[in-house]
Amino acid sequence: MEKLKVLLAEDDINLGSLLEQYLNAKDYDADLYDDGEKAYNGFAKKEYDICILDVMMPKKDGFTLAKDIRKINDKMPIIFLTAKTLKDDVFEGFKLGADDYITKPFNMEELILRIDAVMRRAGKTHAEKTVFNLGKFVFDLNKQTLKDGDKTTKLTTKESELLGMLSNHKNDVLERNYALREIWKDDNYFNARSMDVYITKLRKHLKNDNKIQIINVHGKGYKLIIS
């Protein structure tokens, strides 16, 4: 699959550059524009899969930019970024057909999760890897296998799905509720306990390499760390 093309409109150059670098490092194809007019001209010239628009920008604010983008493509997924928390701004964004809304400051991993959720609803998905080198192991998500040299362990579907999500978010926090909704379809207490059991199973599968850890991140989720 091709990389998802992201239009990023953010007039704070430091934040914008950080976001652009992070998205590109996460295997997206992101272009940064530092004002609304440049972003509109960029959108008119290039094809994008999703737009991430800061609300407060010079020359053309995010809401006006969204209206103009929707005149060209009324199905374009849009996520608004804003430092404002006023309900009126949120309502304005959703009235314009925003697909999501995220308030600054935010965790970059949260933005990735929001992008992926919006793109799934739009019928497009981020090109995630399916074969991973995890320390001494080779994990094949599609075949549901974990190889350690000549030894191959066949994983269950849920073990594979969970290890796949951890691997795609390697060294970043995999949010607990997000994983529950994606794999178990409900983040209730009983499913959460079930996921804890599967985390324990994965730790056992990976215990032969002491450079690999699956750690608990209190109040958030889990992190696969490979040192």
Side-chain angles (χ1 to χ4, degrees), residues 56-170:
M56 299 297 291
M57 288 189 295
K59 298 186 181 179
K60 193 189 290 276
D61 67 78
F63 291 147
T64 304
L65 175 58
K67 289 177 185 175
D68 292 342
I69 284 172
R70 285 282 167 80
K71 288 175 185 174
I72 298 174
N73 182 347
D74 63 356
K75 298 287 193 292
M76 176 57 54
I78 293 174
I79 297 175
F80 283 116
L81 304 179
T82 181
K84 291 187 174 183
T85 56
L86 294 176
K87 287 184 178 179
D88 287 349
D89 293 317
V90 178
F91 292 151
E92 178 68 19
F94 284 119
K95 276 197 298 184
L96 290 170
D99 295 275
D100 208 344
Y101 203 104
I102 187 166
T103 303
K104 301 174 188 175
F106 55 86
N107 180 288
M108 289 199 185
E109 180 64 15
E110 180 186 358
L111 179 61
I112 296 291
L113 296 177
R114 300 281 190 102
I115 291 171
D116 287 349
V118 167
M119 294 313 298
R120 276 194 303 277
R121 292 198 295 270
K124 295 182 180 181
T125 54
H126 182 211
E128 293 188 321
K129 290 172 64 178
T130 59
V131 178
F132 303 88
N133 292 310
L134 306 177
K136 64 190 288 191
F137 297 96
V138 177
F139 167 53
D140 190 315
L141 175 59
N142 291 337
K143 293 180 180 177
Q144 298 183 195
T145 56
L146 187 65
K147 286 188 175 182
D148 177 4
D150 295 331
K151 180 186 175 185
T152 299
T153 302
K154 182 70 175 175
L155 303 179
T156 67
T157 298
K158 278 192 168 54
E159 285 173 342
S160 297
E161 289 175 341
L162 187 53
L163 185 55
M165 292 190 81
L166 286 163
S167 300
N168 270 308
H169 294 83
K170 185 174 64 176

